[in-house]
Amino acid sequence: MDRVLSYVQVAKDEGAAILCGGKQPDDPDLQNGYFIEPTVIGNCTRKMRVVQEEIFGPVVVILSFSDEADAIETANDSPFGLATDAQEIARVWWRNTVYTAFRAST
């Protein structure tokens, strides 16, 4: 739990915004466990630690991209291959364009 919370702090220190979660739940019944609220981190850049490293907790980061080429470059910009695949990135950006999603994933 401390490791996940330390990543949340690193994200803040690097300029990211915690959009929701990022802490232990307020529920008193959960205070003695290793619980962390589902966390969404925005305003991220590719080089931030929360983007480049696996957090192993209920955390998702949001990255933006300008076009298909940028989306593919973003998906491949991690030494660990942690980003979601290009097909998923394309599906989010071009929700109704199956061809573009397929083309980006190949």
Side-chain angles (χ1 to χ4, degrees):
M1 176 182 71
D2 292 335
R3 179 173 160 81
V4 175
L5 291 174
S6 72
Y7 272 104
V8 172
Q9 185 58 52
V10 166
K12 290 181 199 177
D13 294 344
E14 291 182 337
I18 309 306
L19 303 177
C20 70
K23 62 183 180 62
Q24 286 186 279
D26 295 328
D27 186 335
D29 293 334
L30 302 176
Q31 293 303 304
N32 294 323
Y34 293 99
F35 300 102
I36 298 173
E37 294 177 342
T39 302
V40 179
I41 302 175
N43 196 35
C44 294
T45 64
R46 290 186 204 169
K47 300 303 178 191
M48 289 181 170
R49 280 186 59 196
V50 293
V51 174
Q52 291 292 318
E53 299 178 14
E54 180 64 69
I55 298 174
F56 294 107
V59 178
V60 64
V61 298
I62 298 174
L63 292 165
S64 60
F65 46 89
S66 57
D67 57 23
E68 180 181 340
D70 190 31
I72 293 169
E73 186 177 336
T74 298
N76 292 320
D77 191 27
S78 169
F80 306 112
L82 298 174
T84 189
D85 61 271
Q87 185 174 4
E88 181 61 25
I89 290 173
R91 184 175 19 260
V92 170
W93 202 49
W94 295 282
R95 294 186 194 283
N96 298 318
T97 309
V98 175
Y99 171 74
T100 303
F102 177 76
R103 188 181 75 231
S105 69
T106 55

